[in-house]
Amino acid sequence: MTETRSPLKVLRSARRVGARRRALLVEACVWLLVSRLALIFIPFPKLAGRLGAFVPPADPRVAAAAAPGSPEAVALAKEVSWAVVRGAAHVPFRAVCLPQAMAAQIMLRRRGVACVMHFGAQRGQHRPLDAHAWLDAAGVKVTGYPIGRGMTEIACFV
């Protein structure tokens, strides 16, 4: 059984993380909301054009974007990962894998860190197909991890 946290407890714990991390967390929550609304109101083919170049997983750009980066890029990717995952747990809407990957991608691009968004699928237990999105940047597993064992990578945005 999961414990629900009151908004007061969330605010108290947010005060303990420091102003810089708190600002990053607020930014993550804003981009999670923007991503969720974009997925609701914008047709995915139109939205896909803003996510980057759509390439197969074997494309060399995928490996280049996910390769270990500078210590600064690694630190930024870890901080963005923390903020997006933590923010997704506390927003008042469902922020699942794709909105998380989109929010993290936006935040990393704004900071000049290359990233790659992966899309995968597998046969579902309750649906014909389960889809998943995850994001890598500077050698860091940013969002969407761990990936299910039966998940097959289909394509990427770089």
Side-chain angles (χ1 to χ4, degrees):
M1 185 172 177
T2 60
E3 175 189 339
T4 57
R5 296 177 59 188
S6 74
L8 187 59
K9 283 185 180 181
V10 172
L11 288 173
R12 281 188 191 140
S13 66
R15 269 191 283 169
R16 290 187 289 241
V17 298
R20 191 181 61 74
R21 276 190 127 192
R22 192 170 37 251
L24 196 63
L25 184 60
V26 169
E27 180 186 356
C29 291
V30 168
W31 287 120
L32 284 165
L33 176 61
V34 169
S35 298
R36 181 76 177 117
L37 291 173
L39 287 166
I40 292 170
F41 294 110
I42 300 172
F44 191 75
K46 188 172 184 178
L47 187 61
R50 295 187 173 261
L51 297 177
F54 192 63
V55 298
D59 190 286
R61 292 175 286 182
V62 173
S70 68
E72 295 82 17
V74 170
L76 277 170
K78 287 179 179 179
E79 287 288 307
V80 167
S81 174
W82 172 85
V84 170
V85 172
R86 179 67 53 95
H90 296 292
V91 290
F93 53 88
R94 287 192 49 177
V96 292
C97 59
L98 186 53
Q100 286 183 39
M102 290 170 62
Q105 181 189 50
I106 292 165
M107 292 174 71
L108 288 166
R109 280 183 177 172
R110 288 172 37 97
R111 290 161 174 81
V113 178
C115 52
V116 57
M117 185 183 305
H118 305 269
F119 285 92
Q122 69 182 13
R123 287 189 182 199
Q125 293 178 337
H126 305 290
R127 296 176 279 195
L129 190 69
D130 286 334
H132 186 57
W134 61 98
L135 191 83
D136 296 325
V140 175
K141 297 173 178 178
V142 180
T143 64
Y145 285 91
I147 303 164
R149 285 197 306 179
M151 192 63 59
T152 301
E153 187 175 8
I154 298 169
C156 305
F157 284 104
V158 292

